[in-house]
Amino acid sequence: MYIINKNRGIINFIFPFLCILNPVYVHIRVHEVSQVSLIIVSFFALVCSIAGMLLVLNKNQKFNNILISLLIAINFDLYLNFSKSISYIVSLSRYQELIVDSLYFFFIFFTSFLLIRKSKLFFNFMFIFLFFSAVANIILPYQSPFNSFEKIQNTEKKINETQKRILVIMFDGFMGVEGIKRINSNKSIEFQNHVAKLNQLYDFSVFNKAYSRFTHTHYSMGHLLNYDFESLDNHKVYFDVRKGTIIKNRFFSERSDFRIKVYQTDQINFCKNDNVFKCETFNPYKIEFLNDEGRLKKYIRHPIQNFNSAIQSSSFSKYVFTALVKILNKFNDVDLRMNPEYYARHFSKWFDMFVTDILDSEPGSLYFAHFMMPHEPYLLNENCILHNLPNNSFKKIKKKDDFEFLQKFSEEQQKKRLIEYDKYFQQSKCVLNKIDDLIVSLKKGYKFDNTDIFIFGDHGTRISEGIFYETTSNEDLIDNHSAIFFSKTNEQKGNVLIEKVSIQKIFSYFFNKSLQNNKNRNLIDDGEVSMKSQIDGIYKSKKINF
């Protein structure tokens, strides 16, 4: 039963067991990503079991060395490419996760190290590692972790058909009116006039000094959807960073009498709520969203994009495949890798799908949508046509500690900042034009009057120099936090409100039932925003002034 000696025999038992355990661990990570993951990891477990039996029973040392290399390749590939955190099984703190994952990694590493020393087939190991990396990623292609679905209507669930239709639309990085006013340009004036038209023609209320207490979507929306407009803590009670999911959502939970339909990107999952009836995720890895461009057909480019996306940056095979893709790019003339152009390129198509669904809906429907627009990169003109090539002309300054440098740099940086804002206004005008299209379509379909509409941004443009508590000027705060908010309800006459108030409080004002019964409720707050300290990493409050 022992191949070389007693110690080698023990290792021959341990490593196949680890090889079987790893696919199971991987399945826990990816079972929501791919429906075939259980079949695939079962296959890998079977391969490991057979290899383990051969290691124990076979006495040919060279053959065993090759098997050992195979097992090492499988384990490292699975760990580096697919395993993420054991917190998917149990609830652990960030530091506990670090300890568990570190122990797990070193267990694989040192066992593999011992076997590599025994096998003396290092180059064979590297070759097989890369081979299995390719095979594993091709047969387990990356998909968005947020699956689209439509539930079978629960006959016991009573939908109140007499209720109005509600549209809640969040545009990522959509800056507010007061923030836009600071930019001295013709496009800034056009933007302000367009928003004013929504108030004058369609009776929207516009909150000129609206802002978000947070600069990141998951914190901003976690607090907003749970009516938490007072807390400045970037805590994780509303959002699971590891899964990219809103895990607590009072807004959805309290509306069981609505037919809730969610349109979202693959960036944040809003669909994890029992009251969500339909979830539509704009999956950037679906073949139907690929255009016919370049020399390679899209059915060839599709697995290449999936492959490249599936390989984690920590994997050695990532560097090898990236080099291969760069060579293929020369032949194809168009970059085969997924890039930031994707969201801009398909915005019009996705928004039109969303509008079509609304026009087919009945009263008692609640739509929640998240679009990655006008978020950077700024690639669209006002007609939503791709025309700006992505570049790195503007870079945020992470530290403001070299004041002599900043003094020399500020003039050039300001020019670049205005260039970025010029492109931002074009992309924002595209968004405003699509909002006009939505309103016109609702009016033609005789659905506008019976629909409440809430449109807002989750944070500012973030075209700023400072991002930390110690280094941000008030101008930076406005760049990072100013957010648009306008609404239309039959109960409210369209107004232009000039009070400083957070989008979190505005949303709570309209939807928090307990707050609606408070006679002293108002739409004014303290202007405090949450900023991370560069020194100790603690989030602190700072006041924004318009």
Side-chain angles (χ1 to χ4, degrees), residues 199 202-206 487-489 492-497:
N199 166 251
Y202 305 121
D203 216 26
F204 275 85
S205 289
V206 180
S487 62
K488 191 277 296 183
T489 68
Q492 182 185 33
K493 179 177 173 55
N495 295 306
V496 176
L497 294 94

Side-chain angles (χ1 to χ4, degrees), residues 106-123:
F106 283 115
F107 182 43
I108 295 174
F109 179 80
F110 285 115
T111 308
S112 303
F113 178 73
L114 290 173
L115 291 174
I116 290 171
R117 290 188 62 187
K118 294 285 185 182
S119 67
K120 298 179 181 178
L121 290 173
F122 180 75
F123 290 104

Side-chain angles (χ1 to χ4, degrees), residues 28 49 158 198 205 251 272 324-325 340 376 383 430 450 472 479 506:
I28 294 168
S49 301
K158 302 297 182 183
L198 293 172
S205 289
F251 176 61
K272 193 174 179 59
L324 175 62
V325 168
E376 62 181 337
N383 297 316
C430 158
N450 196 33
T472 48
D479 285 327
I506 301 171

Side-chain angles (χ1 to χ4, degrees), residues 119-279:
S119 67
K120 298 179 181 178
L121 290 173
F122 180 75
F123 290 104
N124 185 44
F125 150 68
M126 291 302 297
F127 170 78
I128 297 174
F129 166 74
L130 294 174
F131 171 77
F132 268 85
S133 180
V135 172
N137 281 286
I138 289 173
I139 64 176
L140 186 60
Y142 179 88
Q143 297 177 17
S144 169
F146 315 138
N147 296 318
S148 299
F149 63 81
E150 186 165 355
K151 293 179 181 176
I152 298 174
Q153 183 64 55
N154 184 352
T155 55
E156 297 180 0
K157 184 177 178 179
K158 302 297 182 183
I159 303 297
N160 188 350
E161 302 288 354
T162 64
Q163 297 182 111
K164 291 179 296 183
R165 189 182 295 99
I166 297 177
L167 307 184
V168 178
I169 309 173
M170 186 263 282
F171 289 102
D172 214 298
F174 206 2
M175 177 175 262
V177 175
E178 203 66 27
I180 295 297
K181 282 183 180 180
R182 301 166 306 129
I183 312 301
N184 185 19
S185 72
N186 291 332
K187 287 188 170 61
S188 170
I189 296 173
E190 289 177 13
F191 182 99
Q192 297 171 55
N193 291 338
H194 200 134
V195 174
K197 184 183 72 173
L198 293 172
N199 166 251
Q200 296 160 6
L201 297 183
Y202 305 121
D203 216 26
F204 275 85
S205 289
V206 180
F207 298 82
N208 276 5
K209 293 185 179 180
Y211 69 93
S212 174
R213 289 191 180 271
F214 306 92
T215 59
H216 291 89
T217 307
H218 46 279
Y219 295 129
S220 178
M221 295 307 298
H223 283 253
L224 181 141
L225 293 170
N226 288 282
Y227 314 135
D228 184 354
F229 57 85
E230 294 181 337
S231 171
L232 289 172
D233 293 333
N234 288 38
H235 46 66
K236 310 296 191 299
V237 294
Y238 306 130
F239 184 80
D240 188 326
V241 178
R242 297 176 301 275
K243 297 182 181 180
T245 300
I246 298 288
I247 55 177
K248 187 177 180 182
N249 188 333
R250 280 185 61 188
F251 176 61
F252 286 179
S253 297
E254 294 176 357
R255 280 162 180 78
S256 58
D257 55 342
F258 277 88
R259 205 177 282 105
I260 299 177
K261 302 179 182 180
V262 176
Y263 277 74
Q264 62 181 14
T265 71
D266 64 333
Q267 297 294 306
I268 296 180
N269 184 13
F270 294 94
C271 292
K272 193 174 179 59
N273 188 283
D274 292 337
N275 288 334
V276 174
F277 170 75
K278 177 181 178 180
C279 177

Side-chain angles (χ1 to χ4, degrees), residues 374-389:
H375 192 286
E376 62 181 337
Y378 311 124
L379 308 175
L380 300 180
N381 65 14
E382 61 184 35
N383 297 316
C384 300
I385 297 173
L386 199 69
H387 77 131
N388 287 323
L389 294 177

